[in-house]
Amino acid sequence: MNIYVFEPRDGRVRGLLSELESVGLQPVLVPASFFASDLSTLNQKGVDTRAILIGDCPEVTDYIRAIRSCGCRNPVLVMRDFKNSRDASEALDAGADDVMVSPIKGIEAVSRINSIIRRSYGHAAESISVGEITAFFDGRDPLVSGARLKLSNREHAIFQHLALNANKVIAKGAIYDAVYGMSDDQPFDKVIDVYICKLRKKIADAADSGHQYIETVYGRGYKFSELESTRDVKLAAYEQTDARGTVAAR
């Protein structure tokens, strides 16, 4: 998961980045000038899930307001040195999503970020079910027909973005930005097609039905959804049940 980190104190940077990286986060250190730049670029699909962690400093609320004044929905978490209700209240009122108290633990940061992201996409629970697939938003691999489907880091990042947007068409560029947008070594965008093919094969091999669940919408992108044939079977079963119930009622 890609995130931005602003920590003004050099003595804390190395330990903080190491802690975040230990749980699979990919932090990019940003300077104070980041908050005076064109933050509207964070509104791009695939970029809007990148969390912004802001270290304790007098300008915290100004930085938060700068982010929100550009319409950015990115998760914003403040890292305070000490627990202080007044400071926390000011940060939250300014538009922060959460306040953490040092020392920051990576595992807690991941859970807090995931919680904010899934709610922003309209998912209240920790998982969703799409046909035979249960997709989790807390970093776990999905279940397909009741069994865990092991995914590589890149496969998981792509699948996670598709799952957050289940039943919606997502442009390939948005998936690319979500997975590779902050990488120093960016591959050609065709790499997304390659990973989609791998995901389809893995899902089809694991699903009892053999369905791939990831549809190509030509000229627009990809959609993770229950396939028509599966929905038709469920609808037919429901109609049969309803018909029996109606007959019984008569």
Side-chain angles (χ1 to χ4, degrees), residues 24 37 57 67 95 128 157 195 245:
S37 64
C57 64
I67 295 168
I128 60 168
Y195 277 116

Side-chain angles (χ1 to χ4, degrees), residues 161-202:
H161 197 66
L162 289 168
L164 280 170
N165 295 277
N167 302 310
K168 299 177 184 176
V169 179
I170 303 300
K172 182 169 71 173
I175 300 174
Y176 184 91
D177 287 340
V179 179
Y180 291 103
M182 296 171 67
S183 174
D184 293 331
D185 183 20
Q186 295 185 350
F188 292 111
D189 62 357
K190 286 289 186 183
V191 72
I192 299 299
D193 300 322
V194 174
Y195 277 116
I196 291 291
C197 287
K198 291 181 177 180
L199 280 168
R200 282 174 169 160
K201 186 178 187 308
K202 284 189 173 184

